[in-house]
Amino acid sequence: MAKALLGHVGGPDPRMVSEMRRLQQRIRDLEAELTRLQAQNDALAAQTRDETLVRLQDREPALT
């Protein structure tokens, strides 16, 4: 019985530690991808705003 208890509380399971490291790396990878995609989205949004402003400035004034 003592051996079973000692094995149970004897320390972290190497498989669990490995899985935890793998998941932490996956989280870092996903966070980096999120940051990259947010920057890309911001750049595209700015480009769209600039193109819209250019089109609005090129319009002829409306007749009143």
Side-chain angles (χ1 to χ4, degrees), residues 1-11:
M1 179 79 172
K3 285 184 180 180
L5 288 175
L6 184 60
H8 180 67
V9 295

Side-chain angles (χ1 to χ4, degrees), residues 3-52:
K3 285 184 180 180
L5 288 175
L6 184 60
H8 180 67
V9 295
D13 181 11
R15 293 172 295 181
M16 186 174 290
V17 171
S18 174
E19 180 69 5
M20 182 72 77
R21 286 186 181 140
R22 186 187 70 79
L23 291 172
Q24 288 171 338
Q25 182 60 49
R26 180 73 174 136
I27 289 170
R28 283 190 294 271
D29 293 345
L30 289 171
E31 287 173 338
E33 184 176 358
L34 177 63
T35 301
R36 182 186 62 79
L37 290 172
Q38 285 174 333
Q40 184 180 7
N41 187 48
D42 291 345
L44 289 171
Q47 180 182 359
T48 302
R49 278 193 306 273
D50 293 345
E51 289 172 0
T52 302

Side-chain angles (χ1 to χ4, degrees), residues 56-63:
L56 289 175
Q57 291 171 353
D58 289 344
R59 285 186 180 175
E60 294 186 20
L63 297 175

